[in-house]
Amino acid sequence: MKKLTRSEQKHLDIINAAKEEFIEHGFLSANMDRITSSAEVSKRTLYRHFESKEVLFESVLTIINDSVNESVSYQFDDSKSTKQQLDEIAYNEIEVLYHTYGIALARTIVMEFLRQPEMAKNLIKNIYSIRAITQWFTEAIDAGRLKQADPKLMTDVYVSLFQGLFFWPQVMNLDIEPIGEAMENKVNTVTSIFIQSYGLK
């Protein structure tokens, strides 16, 4: 594994410190002085890497998104049922949402997107593993498991179902993060509704 240069390590330290600052205080209340202190860098160093708090915020999200997109891949498995595979995808997406991002950061993201809608257009879609899900739908269609339909539209439908049960209620403080049987019921709901719409008998 290649050893990071001093500059690369400082860049990473700033990103990690900024993520925790945004989670704890939100974007508007996030303090660049606290970030520099936590990252153990000077303010001059911070601004050499990131010219503004907005740029730093986008960088944090982009790095998380890239990490997720690089690590998440869904390969269609003809030996498993459609439902089993969709359940597995749902549980993996839940893991990404709740433990890679976390609802606290997701809430900060949504609040900042309302303030900066142009940023939202570029980044909100990447909270989910869109490319991986779309690829799985394409493979499932080719395997004769799903109806002949636009995989991108399927992805929009799936993400909307997922968001409706696992994202928006938690971000808006309308519901807690589901666990145990409650999570199983919600996953089953997302999968079942999707299969009713696009599945083949």
Side-chain angles (χ1 to χ4, degrees):
M1 186 175 180
K2 180 185 175 183
K3 185 177 180 180
L4 296 178
T5 66
R6 183 177 175 81
S7 179
E8 289 171 338
Q9 185 60 57
K10 286 183 179 295
H11 189 94
L12 181 60
D13 291 342
I14 293 169
I15 287 289
N16 290 333
K19 177 182 176 182
E20 296 307 314
E21 178 72 11
F22 290 134
I23 289 173
E24 185 172 351
H25 298 283
F27 178 83
L28 291 177
S29 298
N31 184 285
M32 298 294 262
D33 288 330
R34 283 196 297 261
I35 293 173
T36 58
S37 176
S38 179
E40 298 182 349
V41 299
S42 68
K43 186 170 283 189
R44 181 179 177 181
T45 297
L46 187 151
Y47 282 109
R48 189 167 65 244
H49 286 270
F50 305 98
E51 64 186 39
S52 67
K53 187 162 68 169
E54 285 78 9
V55 171
L56 179 54
F57 186 69
E58 282 199 57
S59 297
V60 168
L61 299 189
T62 299
I63 287 173
I64 296 174
N65 291 339
D66 289 348
S67 174
V68 169
N69 286 330
E70 287 174 5
S71 63
V72 174
S73 176
Y74 302 127
Q75 303 298 321
F76 181 82
D77 186 344
D78 201 47
S79 69
K80 295 181 179 179
S81 70
T82 305
K83 184 179 187 308
Q84 182 182 351
Q85 293 182 72
L86 284 171
D87 283 350
E88 291 172 356
I89 289 173
Y91 280 113
N92 195 78
E93 291 299 303
I94 290 167
E95 177 69 20
V96 169
L97 175 60
Y98 290 164
H99 300 118
T100 300
Y101 286 93
I103 289 300
L105 180 59
R107 190 175 291 120
T108 296
I109 292 169
V110 169
M111 291 176 66
E112 188 55 20
F113 283 172
L114 293 174
R115 204 175 70 86
Q116 297 192 68
E118 284 303 311
M119 185 192 296
K121 291 179 183 178
N122 296 325
L123 294 175
I124 188 69
K125 62 185 179 181
N126 290 324
I127 290 180
Y128 304 93
S129 310
I130 300 298
R131 285 179 293 184
I133 294 173
T134 304
Q135 180 61 34
W136 187 89
F137 289 153
T138 300
E139 293 176 10
I141 292 169
D142 292 342
R145 293 284 192 89
L146 297 177
K147 295 176 181 177
Q148 291 290 332
D150 182 358
K152 291 183 179 179
L153 177 58
M154 285 184 173
T155 303
D156 289 342
V157 170
Y158 181 84
V159 170
S160 295
L161 290 169
F162 185 92
Q163 285 180 332
L165 291 180
F166 294 105
F167 181 80
W168 290 113
Q170 292 73 30
V171 166
M172 303 303 293
N173 283 321
L174 300 175
D175 197 4
I176 60 174
E177 294 179 24
I179 59 174
E181 187 176 350
M183 181 181 288
E184 290 178 15
N185 289 338
K186 289 178 185 292
V187 167
N188 187 60
T189 297
V190 170
T191 298
S192 297
I193 291 175
F194 186 87
I195 289 176
Q196 286 172 17
S197 298
Y198 290 109
L200 291 173
K201 295 182 179 179

